[in-house]
Amino acid sequence: MFAGRGETPVAFVETVGQAVRLTATDLAAARSGLEVGLTLADARARVPELEVFPADPHADMDWLERLADGCTRYSPTIALMPPDALVIDIAGCIHAFEGERPLAADVEARMARRGILARHAFGDTPEIARALARYAGAPAPDEARAVKRLPVAALELDDDATVALARAGLKTVGDVMARPLAGIAARFGEDAVTAVRRLAGDDKAPVRARVAVAPVAVERRFAEPIARTEYALEVIEELAAEAAATLAERHQGGRRWEARLFRSDGHIQSLRIETGQPTRDVPLLMRLFAERIDSLADPLDPGYGYDLIRLDVALAERLDAAQLRLEGGAAAQDRVAQLVDQLSTRLGRGQVRRFAPRDSHIPEQAELMLPAAAEAPPGGWPQGQAGEPPLRPIYLFDPPQRIESVMAEVPDGPPHRFRWRRRVHEVARSEGPERIAGEWWRRHDVVIPTRDYYRVEDRRGRRFWIFRHGLHGEQEHPRWYLHGLFA
Amino acid sequence: MSDSSALIARLRRLAADTGATQAAATAGDAWLAQGLSRAHLHDIYAVEEADGPSGAGFGIAQALAARALPLLWLRTAAGERAQGRLHATGLIELGLPADSLMLGIVADESALLRAAADAARCTGLGTVLVESVGRAPGFDLTATRRLMLAAEASGVTVLSLRIGAEPTPSAAATRWGVAAVPSTALDQGPGEGAPGLPAFDVECLRRRGGPAGQRWRVEWDRDAKSFRQPPLSGAGLSLAADRAAARHPAAFVRRAR
């Protein structure tokens, strides 16, 4: 819940049907007796000084995501429960806080700094924890009894079912649990039974963690935030060495690394690098991190300082010690791979590419450009015939470029003059047509014109690959395009 | 005695002179079979902007003739738009295997120079082909000197392909002007009269510590991985062919100042 700005009550509104209704209120508004669902007119009548903002569920979701990112400082497993809840799986993660309560206090303190009023609860399952946090029941000595004392609203059935349960005299979750489940199912539907079983801890809804847990994660917490980027980099280097040692024990190397710098005010800076081959070479990793920092649009800003730095190896692959450079060829390949990693980190993964063939005879679709940092692409390229000049251009325009003023001696023949980029080219030699039909088996609804390709050379020796889009029978005035340039 | 020693000295001088001339002649023609010298920076200028593909083809052919693979091709995003993207099938038909080709696309000229400097230091590469379109003022003496030093240290050949630029001072070992020339038409089979092997008009504009100004009309023979001079123009530099080329506006080459 948004704690508000102090005295002035704040509410968010949304147009529901004909009326503008409140969707959320702050503490001050709630104290003035405003409730979610009230129309804005009523609310204004009761609290004239009410400040109103339009609700923005997307912004809320975005905010929740960012809070979840922030909470990865407590545990790697975080699940979102929209619209307003986060579940942190703290099993095995409380050693840094000496217990659940200090951890919860830390969460609340951090949220409060951001102006957020958080309610927390602990539970054996995410549903129990959320129900306990969201609905106020009578105080109870333990978790099971606390759940039983929750109001039936905590089952989160639809409004009719909730009212029906209350009419049937079932006020708390415990009342519902005490009944035979078959009867509940008969009267209130299967959903009610599922909800009851979930709160009883018998049935667990699958929790979808936001990010996969990294195979190796190392972190450093600081009692006093560190405010210098150089120190932060030194810490990353130490962490990388630790992670590399762990990976070496498992005969693995990392391919994707992510360093996260948690600022004490809740901001997180994430630095991701990727290598083409698994590695545990710390100096190499540090060079890549330095490249990554160089390529940031905004420089690293430590602000009030980082109080937690974590290094995740998000993807690890087998890397045996014996694989380390035995012969010259492998060493040269390693060095090329390092260059590729370096350039990919600086320019972006997709900007350093290798070529791969693709099964299509449409020229612009017959090859793919894959990131060079990924696995080596397969072979299977068509090879030129001995003694033949190249039949395909070295540069290809995609989309093909329109050429104009095309003159051909016969309608179906090669052109003897055309204009491209404001220049007239007189064709001296030509070869063709090489007919490439459209992939008619892919589209049934439209006729894809056939292309007649010609390899032409103008009087000055420039060689072009041009095509007529459509046969004269197929189209009234087929257009001509320039598709590529030969060496 | 003094006579004979003077004579010997004269003869030695003569011998040394002819040796030097021969060496220069071989160095001048060596690229036809062996490609440009490795571990150096070479500037390749497309004589006109439309000669860009010829310049590129010449550069690839040089890397292949020198057996300097793998090749990393660096270009800017703007160049990719203006010149068209690389077509691996066509490059394979020039003789460049797709698995020895990598392409790096950078945002601008300064990034291009930086990537080129890093690549020139990578001993695993054979050739770095740096393609720049337009004036590219960043390719100045300092930048080219840096590339040359990196190339000398690592053994990587750096080819700087300049399209649509006037020759500027540079630390490169050689500078070439490349233009397209009409190919020798295929004379047999069904493809009679079709454009033949890639043909280039090549002029050595500058050579560090050597003669410049020679001019060749060559074809690229993919199967032999070497250049050859087309049979019709005769062996060596044909004056007639050269004159014909000189009349031709395409063959106009701007000299470096």
Side-chain angles (χ1 to χ4, degrees):
Chain A
M1 188 191 273
F2 181 59
R5 289 187 264 186
E7 298 311 310
T8 326
V10 178
F12 288 86
V13 294
E14 193 182 28
T15 311
V16 184
Q18 299 283 316
V20 181
R21 290 180 189 276
L22 306 194
T23 58
T25 58
D26 78 338
L27 211 54
R31 273 197 213 108
S32 318
L34 300 186
E35 281 174 355
V36 172
L38 208 62
T39 62
L40 178 60
D42 286 347
R44 275 265 158 79
R46 284 190 216 170
V47 186
E49 71 271 25
L50 182 68
E51 262 194 276
V52 173
F53 298 96
D56 183 349
H58 293 288
D60 290 346
M61 196 60 204
D62 182 53
W63 181 235
L64 196 62
E65 291 267 3
R66 281 164 62 183
L67 287 182
D69 279 339
C71 287
T72 49
R73 67 164 63 236
Y74 302 112
S75 158
T77 322
I78 310 280
L80 294 183
M81 288 197 163
D84 56 1
L86 290 176
V87 177
I88 309 176
D89 183 356
I90 56 168
C93 296
I94 51 174
H95 53 273
F97 291 93
E98 298 150 357
E100 298 172 350
R101 309 256 158 227
L103 189 146
D106 189 76
V107 174
E108 289 197 339
R110 274 177 200 284
M111 295 287 177
R113 238 180 284 163
R114 287 253 164 205
I116 300 166
L117 188 66
R119 275 204 302 256
H120 75 269
F122 300 98
D124 284 346
T125 71
E127 282 78 20
I128 294 176
R130 189 176 69 141
L132 288 174
R134 191 172 277 170
Y135 299 94
D142 62 24
E143 185 182 310
R145 267 176 275 180
V147 170
K148 285 188 178 148
R149 289 177 198 182
L150 283 174
V152 283
L155 292 172
E156 300 197 337
L157 304 175
D158 56 44
D159 289 345
D160 291 346
T162 310
V163 172
L165 282 170
R167 290 223 179 108
L170 304 173
K171 294 275 193 294
T172 65
V173 174
D175 294 344
V176 182
M177 282 177 183
R179 305 275 149 192
L181 284 181
I184 300 286
R187 282 207 42 199
F188 305 103
E190 199 62 40
D191 292 347
V193 176
T194 313
V196 170
R197 288 171 58 84
R198 288 207 171 138
L199 284 192
D202 297 338
D203 191 4
K204 277 190 190 174
V207 178
R208 189 157 297 157
R210 297 175 59 250
V211 283
V213 180
V216 177
V218 282
E219 63 180 35
R220 241 342 156 270
R221 282 169 202 275
F222 310 103
E224 200 59 33
I226 54 170
R228 283 186 57 190
T229 311
E230 297 85 56
Y231 291 156
L233 277 173
E234 279 171 29
V235 172
I236 293 179
E237 188 164 359
E238 287 171 26
L239 290 173
E242 275 178 34
T246 314
L247 286 169
E249 282 169 19
R250 302 186 193 170
H251 301 288
Q252 280 184 329
R255 284 216 23 216
R256 265 184 229 137
W257 303 69
E258 180 176 14
R260 268 180 296 173
L261 306 163
F262 292 76
R263 223 158 65 180
S264 50
D265 62 355
H267 178 270
I268 300 174
Q269 177 76 53
S270 168
L271 303 169
R272 287 197 190 92
I273 58 169
E274 185 172 346
T275 60
Q277 280 158 1
T279 183
R280 27 178 206 261
D281 181 352
V282 177
L284 169 75
L285 291 171
M286 292 318 292
R287 271 207 302 283
L288 293 180
F289 274 121
E291 285 283 351
R292 186 82 226 128
I293 291 170
D294 272 1
S295 70
L296 289 178
D298 305 316
L300 277 190
D301 176 18
Y304 299 106
Y306 301 113
D307 61 353
L308 168 65
I309 295 178
R310 174 177 296 157
L311 182 72
D312 287 345
V313 184
L315 178 66
E317 283 177 6
R318 189 169 178 81
L319 174 69
D320 288 322
Q323 235 167 312
L324 302 172
R325 36 200 130 252
L326 284 178
E327 45 190 307
Q333 273 183 9
D334 274 3
R335 285 192 291 271
V336 173
Q338 282 179 16
L339 176 73
V340 165
D341 295 340
Q342 189 187 355
L343 292 180
S344 303
T345 308
R346 190 193 310 156
L347 307 172
R349 187 170 186 268
Q351 299 304 98
V352 186
R353 307 171 183 174
R354 282 181 196 280
F355 293 85
R358 194 164 156 227
D359 189 19
S360 169
H361 62 266
I362 303 293
E364 65 268 30
Q365 292 167 9
E367 44 192 68
L368 283 174
M369 288 194 273
L370 303 176
E375 272 91 57
W381 289 95
Q383 299 291 329
Q385 278 186 16
E388 281 276 308
L391 302 177
R392 290 284 181 270
I394 61 169
Y395 288 119
L396 194 78
F397 290 105
D398 187 18
Q401 300 201 342
R402 184 84 191 274
I403 51 177
E404 280 153 358
S405 314
V406 181
M407 310 266 287
E409 276 162 5
V410 286
D412 271 340
H416 65 235
R417 176 186 296 162
F418 63 90
R419 201 172 59 176
W420 176 59
R421 288 187 176 168
R422 297 201 296 269
R423 275 223 207 162
V424 175
H425 297 270
E426 304 273 347
V427 174
R429 306 186 205 291
S430 66
E431 184 182 45
E434 181 186 349
R435 187 159 289 179
I436 296 182
E439 295 185 325
W440 47 266
W441 58 91
R442 290 186 196 232
R443 297 282 302 269
H444 300 286
D445 45 341
V446 285
V447 178
I448 303 168
T450 309
R451 298 176 184 178
D452 268 355
Y453 278 90
Y454 293 90
R455 210 156 59 82
V456 302
E457 181 177 284
D458 73 2
R459 288 196 191 285
R460 297 173 65 176
R462 281 147 196 173
R463 289 163 282 273
F464 306 94
W465 206 37
I466 60 179
F467 69 87
R468 190 184 54 240
H469 202 221
L471 307 176
H472 273 278
E474 281 177 2
Q475 287 191 332
E476 193 91 353
H477 294 290
R479 288 178 172 179
W480 285 83
Y481 292 89
L482 189 146
H483 206 170
L485 304 170
F486 289 94
Chain B
M1 199 61 199
S2 69
D3 271 3
S4 64
S5 68
L7 183 67
I8 289 166
R10 218 178 96 217
L11 283 172
R12 272 207 184 122
R13 213 160 42 236
L14 272 174
D17 272 355
T18 44
T21 328
Q22 271 165 5
T26 18
D29 273 345
W31 64 268
L32 288 170
Q34 297 154 24
L36 297 175
S37 56
R38 297 186 71 153
H40 283 143
L41 166 69
H42 302 281
D43 286 345
I44 299 171
Y45 281 86
V47 172
E48 285 181 35
E49 194 152 348
D51 290 316
S54 296
F58 180 74
I60 294 160
Q62 289 297 351
L64 289 167
R67 313 293 195 267
L69 295 179
L71 184 141
L72 172 68
W73 191 315
L74 293 170
R75 59 197 317 215
T76 57
E80 179 103 348
R81 280 194 298 276
Q83 291 287 310
R85 64 180 209 209
L86 293 190
H87 191 51
T89 320
L91 294 168
I92 291 169
E93 286 185 314
L94 274 186
L96 180 67
D99 52 8
S100 6
L101 170 65
M102 276 175 297
L103 168 65
I105 296 173
V106 301
D108 55 15
E109 188 193 319
S110 61
L112 185 67
L113 277 168
R114 204 172 148 210
D118 286 337
R121 268 185 239 113
C122 173
T123 48
L125 286 176
T127 305
V128 183
L129 198 156
V130 188
E131 176 185 348
S132 63
V133 180
R135 227 160 49 75
F139 284 77
D140 56 5
L141 263 178
T142 321
T144 50
R145 180 102 194 101
R146 195 171 294 145
L147 286 176
M148 182 72 172
L149 286 174
E152 281 172 349
S154 65
V156 177
T157 311
V158 183
L159 303 176
S160 162
L161 171 62
R162 309 283 306 268
I163 298 172
E166 299 258 349
T168 49
S170 141
T174 57
R175 174 186 302 160
W176 304 83
V178 181
V181 284
S183 60
T184 314
L186 302 180
D187 54 356
Q188 54 199 1
E192 194 181 334
L197 300 180
F200 311 100
D201 174 275
V202 181
E203 182 173 11
C204 177
L205 299 173
R206 192 173 162 276
R207 182 192 298 279
R208 214 159 65 171
Q214 301 104 312
R215 185 157 187 172
W216 297 263
R217 187 173 174 272
V218 292
E219 286 183 345
W220 169 244
D221 183 345
R222 168 192 69 215
D223 305 317
K225 295 248 191 301
S226 78
F227 289 96
R228 67 173 187 220
Q229 301 188 319
L232 283 179
S233 63
L237 181 65
S238 156
L239 283 177
D242 193 36
R243 231 178 281 131
R247 262 206 317 275
H248 214 286
F252 171 71
V253 171
R254 290 173 291 244
R255 305 273 172 164
R257 283 173 297 271

